[in-house]
Amino acid sequence: MVKVFIDPGHGGTDPGAVGNGLREKDLTLTISKRIEAILKTEYNNVEVKLSRTNDATLSLTQRTNAANAWGANFLLSVHINAGGGTGYEDFIYTTVGAPTTTYQNVIHAEIMAQIVEVRDRGKKRANYHMLRESKMPALLTENLFIDTAADAAKLKDAAFIEKVARGHAVGIAKAFNLSKKQAAVSKPAPANPSSTLYKVQIGAFSKKANADALVKQAKGKKFDAFAVKVGGLYKVQLGAFSNESNAKALAEKAKKAGYTPYIAKEAK
Ligand SMILES: [Zn+2]
């Protein structure tokens, strides 16, 4: 089981960056919840915990303490940038090596693959609390600039937010080799066993004598044959089943005995 700790940046009394009618703390929570949902519904063997699931005020120490106490395998801190630039970038701790560097490479690539129209500001390093004080590999993502109108317009688009979240989720899944859940296969509606009768027949005659002759012959081959009169025809029947596969099995047997069977379906 892979334990992924997701930290929606800021919250409560700390709105984070604000601009163009957006607050960083709202966006980070929305994105984080979607990452959690995608991981949980689409992948096996993954546990997800969020540092906050609502507009709570949390210190940075509370966040890393929670991740460390839980024993997370990976920490992701989600942020929105500010300062007048444009694009996406992410950070790992200043001096950290593999596997954190590998996770950054994989996750960065998946996010950029989802948001190809966004400027790639690169894979960076920083001495941030969330990266330094967490005991497990950690990545902090800065998802566009809230104070740049073009970036803010994208951040207001639900379809864009979904792509950002999916990039994070797919990247984490790839980094930790999470297997995909089997797509729910819709089962065919169960056949009502009593609704249809499958009749195995080997001949139809206008003359009863001909039908009787075939019945006699079939009985000689150990079939439980009999003739039934249906709509002016005498039909030679070997059996009738509620279960189609039983009818098919008998028809196969009749075929091997040299007959040309057919299965007549009849609603009961
Ligand atoms: Zn932030």
Side-chain angles (χ1 to χ4, degrees):
M1 192 63 82
V2 175
K3 294 164 95 172
V4 177
F5 188 90
I6 304 176
D7 171 45
H10 313 277
T13 57
D14 168 21
V18 293
N20 293 295
L22 294 169
R23 298 185 300 189
E24 182 179 3
K25 67 173 183 177
D26 301 323
L27 292 165
T28 60
L29 185 59
T30 302
I31 293 167
S32 297
K33 283 183 171 177
R34 273 308 294 159
I35 298 169
E36 176 188 32
I38 294 167
L39 284 173
K40 281 183 175 173
T41 56
E42 299 183 19
Y43 294 92
N44 296 309
N45 300 318
V46 61
E47 266 184 85
V48 181
K49 194 171 218 170
L50 266 61
S51 60
R52 65 182 178 95
T53 55
N54 54 30
D55 191 22
T57 304
L58 288 174
S59 69
L60 294 179
T61 302
Q62 282 176 308
R63 294 167 200 254
T64 45
N65 281 353
N68 292 340
W70 187 45
N73 300 107
F74 184 68
L75 183 150
L76 170 71
S77 191
V78 179
H79 288 257
I80 310 296
N81 225 330
T86 182
Y88 170 84
E89 62 193 12
D90 47 45
F91 295 86
I92 55 174
Y93 184 57
T94 324
T95 56
V96 77
T100 307
T101 45
T102 309
Y103 297 156
Q104 183 181 33
N105 289 337
V106 171
I107 296 166
H108 185 99
E110 290 301 327
I111 292 169
M112 288 314 304
Q114 290 285 335
I115 53 172
V116 288
E117 71 276 28
V118 167
R119 183 186 296 175
D120 184 350
R121 300 172 61 87
K123 292 171 274 190
K124 301 182 175 179
R125 289 174 178 269
N127 181 19
Y128 291 155
H129 173 99
M130 294 305 298
L131 305 174
R132 186 183 61 245
E133 301 301 327
S134 48
K135 290 177 180 164
M136 67 294 305
L139 181 74
L140 186 147
T141 65
E142 292 280 6
N143 300 276
L144 288 73
F145 285 69
I146 208 164
D147 55 349
T148 296
D151 278 18
K154 288 192 178 80
L155 294 170
K156 286 175 184 173
D157 176 8
F160 182 82
I161 292 292
E162 180 66 18
K163 287 196 281 184
V164 169
R166 185 157 291 279
H168 282 76
V170 172
I172 290 168
K174 222 173 191 177
F176 287 90
N177 288 315
L178 299 178
S179 60
K180 268 232 150 196
K181 279 185 182 169
Q182 292 292 321
V185 177
S186 57
K187 288 180 185 170
N192 182 341
S194 62
S195 64
T196 307
L197 201 58
Y198 300 92
K199 295 179 171 180
V200 182
Q201 297 171 340
I202 54 170
F205 305 91
S206 52
K207 285 183 180 172
K208 188 173 183 294
N210 292 338
D212 287 343
L214 185 59
V215 167
K216 197 177 174 188
Q217 189 202 60
K219 279 184 169 170
K221 293 184 180 183
K222 304 292 181 196
F223 286 102
D224 195 13
F226 60 96
V228 285
K229 197 179 178 187
V230 183
L233 283 176
Y234 295 92
K235 296 189 172 181
V236 178
Q237 189 168 310
L238 303 183
F241 304 88
S242 294
N243 184 322
E244 190 177 13
S245 54
N246 289 342
K248 280 181 176 169
L250 180 60
E252 195 54 37
K253 209 171 142 190
K255 210 172 180 178
K256 280 179 183 154
Y259 296 112
T260 308
Y262 55 94
I263 297 172
K265 287 183 198 174
E266 185 183 287
K268 271 186 184 173

